[in-house]
Amino acid sequence: MNEEDKVLQRSTMSKTECKDMTQTMEETMQRLQGQFQSISEQLESKLNEMGTRINDLEKNVSDLMTQAGMEEQADSK
């Protein structure tokens, strides 16, 4: 194998390694994007659930305050 063949072989190996690295990085980025999307959806779901619970809690507190006000008015008569 002459010197030109060796240089060509190194260049080819380098290109192959570069393609492998690029493919590995693309796969990693796709996997990370999928994980990020999944976590984002879970977070959004949890936030919506918390919002619903807060709204329910506010309604229950308001109902209790109204009931307490009615009882106080009935007791004072």
Side-chain angles (χ1 to χ4, degrees), residues 44-58:
E44 183 178 3
S45 174
K46 294 292 183 184
L47 287 172
N48 288 336
E49 183 181 334
M50 283 177 47
T52 300
R53 287 182 172 188
I54 289 171
N55 290 339
D56 291 346
L57 182 60
E58 287 176 339

Side-chain angles (χ1 to χ4, degrees), residues 7 21 30 32 38 44 46 49 54 57 65 73:
V7 169
M21 177 85 75
Q30 287 174 352
L32 288 172
S38 176
E44 183 178 3
K46 294 292 183 184
E49 183 181 334
I54 289 171
L57 182 60
M65 291 175 66
Q73 289 176 1

Side-chain angles (χ1 to χ4, degrees), residues 18-44:
C18 188
K19 285 181 182 179
D20 290 345
M21 177 85 75
T22 300
Q23 183 178 2
T24 300
M25 290 302 297
E26 286 176 357
E27 290 170 357
T28 301
M29 293 302 291
Q30 287 174 352
R31 191 182 79 246
L32 288 172
Q33 183 179 6
Q35 290 174 345
F36 181 79
Q37 183 67 32
S38 176
I39 290 170
S40 294
E41 290 169 0
Q42 291 174 11
L43 181 59
E44 183 178 3

Side-chain angles (χ1 to χ4, degrees), residues 3-20:
E3 192 61 34
E4 288 180 19
D5 290 337
K6 288 179 182 179
V7 169
L8 182 60
Q9 184 181 15
R10 284 187 207 129
S11 175
T12 302
M13 288 176 62
S14 177
K15 288 178 184 177
T16 301
E17 290 171 355
C18 188
K19 285 181 182 179
D20 290 345

Side-chain angles (χ1 to χ4, degrees), residues 58-72:
E58 287 176 339
K59 183 182 181 313
N60 289 335
V61 168
S62 177
D63 290 347
L64 287 171
M65 291 175 66
T66 300
Q67 288 175 4
M70 287 181 183
E71 289 177 7
E72 287 176 12

